[in-house]
Amino acid sequence: MPGIDESLLEAMRLPGARGASVVDWISGLALGAVGDAPGGDVEATAAETAELARLATESGALAAVGGDPGGSSGKEPPVQDLIVTNTDSYHLLRFVSTTFDSTVFVHLWLDRAEGNLALARIRLAEMADRLVLG
Amino acid sequence: MITSALTPRTDEPASSLLGTLAAEGASGALSTESGIVYLAAGHVVHVESALTPDLGDLLTHSGALAPDGWWQAIDQAGRGCRVGRQLVDGGHLAAGALELCHLGALFDAAYFVFAHDGPALRFRPGVAHWLGAVRPVPVDTVLRESRRRRELLHRIWPDPAVDLAPLARVRTDTVDLPARRSRTLAQVDGVRTAAQIATALACRTFHTLVELRRLAAAGLVVPVVPTATPAPAHAPASAAPGPAPRPATPDEPDTALLRRLLHALEAL
């Protein structure tokens, strides 16, 4: 059963992975981080990506769900992931869905030349599920 | 070794004593007026506050863990201070889920312990929490994060009264809000405090405060200020949503504290 660190190390095995972290999008706190962060600043990166994640989850347009507000429990954000494409890298934010109150996402920073975005997106989703379901 | 820390040092803020204890690599429980910080080898392993739901509340009230599973783990591993490990080994909870929920509860309680950094009451060396070490956090990280959270709330809406006072709705018509904020607003009834609302929602209190301060900033929620009216106390009108300030001591956190005491005693 993987914990936070094991899960992040697993994400770092993806080709082109530069850094990975688990971030609380309401407080902006990084609960765990491995590898590099842009500018070498894990905390600033966590706070800024958290703000982006929060805006997405609170957006009436982006987080809209048809007829079934919030899915089964009304707790998980209907937004599943966010992708920001840079000139030289990707930022992939995958929301982690938990029954208990957690408000976290996994952030993977991926080199654009070496990384495979489609593969990373699938693997990160599986990793986020295993993190909380075992 | 750390005998000096045994005596009450009422002049020293808890945060500075905690820094000293961390530098010494101390293990034990540091009590303040607002909570207890548990250290192991100079790292924070757990924090409890009467104003925040504990790990058991967050897990069982949300349905993530059946209460039976929680009590079973306490029965089996409380004495050995390995309840966290038992929850995972017993198949009740994934390791990642335990870490996420535990860190959520730890930083939540730490915010309230250090929000108004009062004096440390006493340090009991060697005292361990029955949960055991799930994911130890450096003392610096805990103190820095508590400070950052205070600033974050201040930037949203600089009125600390929202944090402790009973809260009332300003308007009763429906407003279009994000799901979390809407759920929080639905709990505002003129009587409950942020901590009681958090308990009702099985949410961390700081995260509830963020929503409540945003609601206050939007002019939807106001703290109920106890008015010292010269008129004799009006009859207890339960239906009136107006200013009906309750005693400063909320019921729910007391219940939570008693329940925690019960857990601790049973784990001995």
Side-chain angles (χ1 to χ4, degrees):
Chain A
M1 276 201 195
I4 293 173
D5 288 336
E6 292 85 350
S7 297
L8 292 177
L9 290 170
E10 185 191 328
M12 287 301 287
R13 283 201 293 272
L14 283 163
R18 292 180 179 177
S21 54
V22 172
V23 177
D24 181 312
W25 82 73
I26 289 186
S27 69
L29 171 71
L31 300 175
V34 294
D36 293 332
D41 193 337
V42 170
E43 290 186 10
T45 302
E48 289 176 24
T49 50
E51 193 64 6
L52 175 66
R54 185 181 70 78
L55 288 175
T57 60
E58 292 185 354
S59 157
L62 298 176
V65 274
D68 184 18
S72 52
S73 66
K75 288 203 170 182
E76 61 182 343
V79 182
Q80 291 190 320
D81 59 29
L82 296 172
I83 300 165
V84 174
T85 306
N86 241 316
T87 48
D88 74 335
S89 64
Y90 298 110
H91 290 276
L92 182 50
L93 273 53
R94 175 77 197 191
F95 289 92
V96 180
S97 182
T98 55
T99 317
F100 57 88
D101 179 40
S102 73
T103 62
V104 295
F105 61 87
V106 184
H107 173 201
L108 177 66
W109 188 28
L110 200 63
D111 187 276
R112 194 165 163 179
E114 293 174 37
N116 177 335
L117 181 61
L119 175 73
R121 191 174 164 272
I122 293 167
R123 287 289 151 75
L124 206 60
E126 292 168 352
M127 194 212 87
D129 283 348
R130 264 201 310 278
L131 177 65
V132 290
L133 299 175
Chain B
M1 216 165 61
I2 41 173
T3 42
S4 63
L6 270 166
T7 49
R9 311 238 309 240
T10 44
D11 52 329
E12 193 173 10
S15 60
S16 89
L17 178 54
L18 200 60
T20 313
L21 291 167
E24 289 171 351
S27 300
L30 178 71
S31 307
T32 76
E33 278 171 6
S34 39
I36 305 175
V37 182
Y38 291 87
L39 293 173
H43 279 57
V44 178
V45 283
H46 200 60
V47 186
E48 286 181 344
S49 159
L51 291 174
T52 58
D54 71 3
L55 184 72
D57 296 334
L58 291 172
L59 287 172
T60 56
H61 294 179
S62 63
L65 178 67
D68 286 353
W70 173 253
W71 290 111
Q72 200 184 333
I74 288 181
D75 281 348
Q76 290 170 345
R79 196 183 296 270
C81 294
R82 294 174 71 259
V83 172
R85 172 64 69 84
Q86 179 64 34
L87 286 170
V88 175
D89 290 351
H92 297 294
L93 210 56
L98 174 66
E99 289 182 2
L100 290 179
C101 198
H102 170 251
L103 287 175
L106 186 157
F107 282 103
D108 195 29
Y111 167 74
F112 289 94
V113 169
F114 299 110
H116 314 285
D117 195 8
L121 296 179
R122 66 172 175 147
F123 179 68
R124 289 167 292 156
V127 170
H129 193 274
W130 44 263
L131 186 64
V134 174
R135 194 179 161 88
V137 186
V139 166
D140 278 355
T141 307
V142 173
L143 295 178
R144 199 166 56 241
E145 176 63 11
S146 300
R147 203 161 46 236
R148 210 180 58 80
R149 289 185 176 204
R150 201 161 55 234
E151 292 162 5
L152 176 63
L153 288 181
H154 188 78
R155 280 200 306 277
I156 296 172
W157 184 247
D159 180 8
V162 175
D163 300 7
L164 298 172
L167 299 163
R169 292 179 72 147
V170 177
R171 297 157 47 181
T172 47
D173 53 332
T174 50
V175 205
D176 207 14
L177 292 168
R180 270 188 88 86
R181 206 158 308 151
S182 175
R183 274 201 302 277
T184 309
L185 181 61
Q187 297 290 329
V188 174
D189 60 0
V191 173
R192 277 189 267 199
T193 62
Q196 290 166 316
I197 291 170
T199 301
L201 291 170
C203 279
R204 291 156 295 172
T205 306
F206 172 81
H207 290 63
T208 307
L209 277 184
V210 168
E211 303 301 342
L212 288 168
R213 289 240 194 165
R214 288 191 201 283
L215 288 165
L220 296 171
V221 162
V222 285
V224 179
V225 183
T227 43
T229 41
H234 11 258
S238 56
R246 308 284 296 193
T249 330
D251 293 329
E252 287 282 352
D254 281 355
T255 323
L257 187 65
L258 287 172
R259 203 163 48 235
R260 235 163 287 169
L261 275 171
L262 182 67
H263 292 187
L265 286 172
E266 288 184 346
L268 283 176

